[in-house]
Amino acid sequence: MTDKLLLVTGGTGFIAQYCMLALLNAGYRVRTTIRSPEREEEVRQYLKVGGVDAGDRLSFVIANLTDDYGWPEAVAGCAYVMHGASPTPSGDQMREEDWIGPAVDGNLRVLGAARDAGVRRVVLTSAFGAIGVGHGPDYRRPFDEADWSDLTRNVGPYQKSKTLAERAAWDFIAREGNGLELTTVNPVAVYGPALGADYSHSIRLIANMLKGQPGCVNVNSCCVDVRDVADLHLRAMTDPAANGERFLATVGESLWMVEVAELLRQRLGKVAENVSTQVWPDEQVRIAGETNAQLKAVVPLLGYDMNATGKKAERLLGWAPRSREEAIISCAESLIRLGLV
């Protein structure tokens, strides 16, 4: 047990909340950033669903990725920072700048504040989108941490923002880090138990299936349980072997979305009777993507093999993630239990 203080940015985020749960359970005191004070009670309630009544061991600072205000206060006295706040796929961002600016500038803002405050290490939540997108079919698989997404090809704005933001972070450390350590965790599709109605993009995919979405896009992805993503952040924070390294958070082989649908039907029985195992034709998705921002982002990924390996984290940090099946089924069961589908 420890009484050290840590900062977790973006406290309303799914991964951030599980990182806070892991830290609080390990005895740390946690500070987190939110953009609006009205969200504090919501975050506390979500953590209670996750089994932790944080009380005065959790504090809040108002800060935004696009503004310097609040960040010096947020990092003050913190031994470590877990930085996951970043634009996520909501469908509202219509221009690349809406994604890239906040992601890149936000990383640099947090890293600069952490360096100036004497923080030892920042664990940055990056994404598979910074590793395995934009490569042709002949490029080697599975992807690993040596890979970077190829932005010279057709890459969606979310993946582009994650790639540029992570590269900017590593460049900052090399150029002006002044001894600040950096580790990145690059999750694939993150499932596991939802804590409430404000859930992640990946969980929305499962929710839509359970609600009877009429078919699946022809997209392939690895997956991981959010509890294991949080555990990997914790290991990456304290293990000397993690300094300067990237870690893919993924387990098992990649799955096509129709395989996820089939798993739900097999394991959940009657409650998954509305899950469709039809696959939408690629051309239909491309046409729909001309007027739908969310489907437009899917188009570059149609038929694309996104298989990746998390063996590096298992080997170097002793990470032992749950199976992909448990990640998916526990996600679906939580949505049902919380009355969200």
Side-chain angles (χ1 to χ4, degrees):
M1 298 290 281
T2 177
D3 197 43
K4 285 183 179 177
L5 175 65
L6 278 91
L7 175 67
V8 178
T9 69
T12 58
F14 182 51
I15 293 174
Q17 288 169 0
Y18 269 94
C19 285
M20 287 190 279
L21 287 169
L23 290 166
L24 290 163
N25 280 325
Y28 292 95
R29 291 182 296 123
V30 175
R31 181 184 292 149
T32 191
T33 61
I34 49 177
R35 288 180 293 176
S36 166
E38 289 77 24
R39 302 295 296 274
E40 176 177 341
E41 187 54 34
E42 173 195 319
V43 173
R44 290 188 179 276
Q45 289 301 318
Y46 278 31
L47 296 183
K48 285 181 182 177
V49 172
V52 174
D53 187 349
D56 61 5
R57 294 169 58 224
L58 174 65
S59 57
F60 293 79
V61 171
I62 305 303
N64 193 310
L65 292 175
T66 59
D67 194 302
D68 289 337
Y69 175 82
W71 290 109
E73 179 188 354
V75 297
C78 291
Y80 302 97
V81 172
M82 291 185 182
H83 174 45
S86 185
T88 52
S90 66
D92 297 331
Q93 297 95 335
M94 299 303 293
R95 305 172 305 153
E96 278 196 353
E97 305 93 277
D98 297 330
W99 294 90
I100 294 169
V104 173
D105 295 344
N107 277 4
L108 297 178
R109 186 165 277 117
V110 172
L111 288 168
R115 175 201 61 197
D116 294 346
V119 169
R120 178 177 175 182
R121 181 180 296 177
V122 173
V123 179
L124 172 66
T125 311
S126 186
F128 172 79
I131 285 179
V133 180
H135 300 287
D138 296 332
Y139 192 87
R140 66 179 178 82
R141 304 293 197 277
F143 293 108
D144 64 28
E145 292 84 356
D147 298 311
W148 284 90
S149 292
D150 183 355
L151 302 187
T152 65
R153 303 171 75 112
N154 185 15
V155 174
Y158 171 66
Q159 289 86 3
K160 189 170 185 178
S161 75
K162 282 295 190 182
T163 306
L164 292 173
E166 189 188 337
R167 282 199 178 277
W170 287 115
D171 288 346
F172 174 93
I173 293 296
R175 189 177 62 251
E176 50 188 311
N178 292 354
L180 176 66
E181 297 178 353
L182 178 66
T183 302
T184 68
V185 175
N186 298 65
V188 290
V190 181
Y191 299 125
L195 298 172
D198 186 9
Y199 44 69
S200 68
H201 169 68
S202 297
I203 289 185
R204 191 177 303 126
L205 299 174
I206 302 296
N208 289 343
M209 286 183 176
L210 292 170
K211 291 176 182 178
Q213 172 182 280
C216 307
V217 290
N218 184 32
V219 168
N220 168 279
S221 176
C222 285
C223 68
V224 66
D225 192 293
V226 65
R227 294 166 290 188
D228 296 318
V229 176
D231 176 63
L232 182 50
H233 277 75
L234 203 57
R235 292 169 185 270
M237 181 183 80
T238 57
D239 196 317
N243 179 33
E245 300 288 349
R246 310 169 84 200
F247 293 98
L248 265 162
T250 181
V251 61
E253 300 286 322
S254 58
L255 292 165
W256 296 95
M257 291 311 298
V258 69
E259 292 180 291
V260 175
E262 289 166 350
L263 176 66
L264 293 172
R265 290 183 66 91
Q266 290 165 7
R267 295 282 293 273
L268 297 178
K270 186 172 177 59
V271 294
E273 62 186 3
N274 291 329
V275 175
S276 172
T277 56
Q278 297 292 313
V279 179
W280 291 338
D282 290 356
E283 190 56 33
Q284 180 181 329
V285 177
R286 289 190 181 94
I287 293 170
E290 294 174 5
T291 55
N292 182 303
Q294 287 179 296
L295 286 177
K296 181 180 180 181
V298 169
V299 169
L301 304 177
L302 293 172
Y304 184 79
D305 178 2
M306 290 199 275
N307 197 29
T309 176
K311 294 298 182 184
K312 178 180 175 180
E314 296 178 29
R315 184 180 70 254
L316 279 187
L317 304 183
W319 187 55
R322 295 163 178 81
S323 71
R324 58 187 187 175
E325 291 81 8
E326 184 176 349
I328 293 165
I329 297 304
S330 65
C331 172
E333 289 175 339
S334 73
L335 292 169
I336 296 163
R337 182 173 62 252
L338 296 171
L340 299 175
V341 293

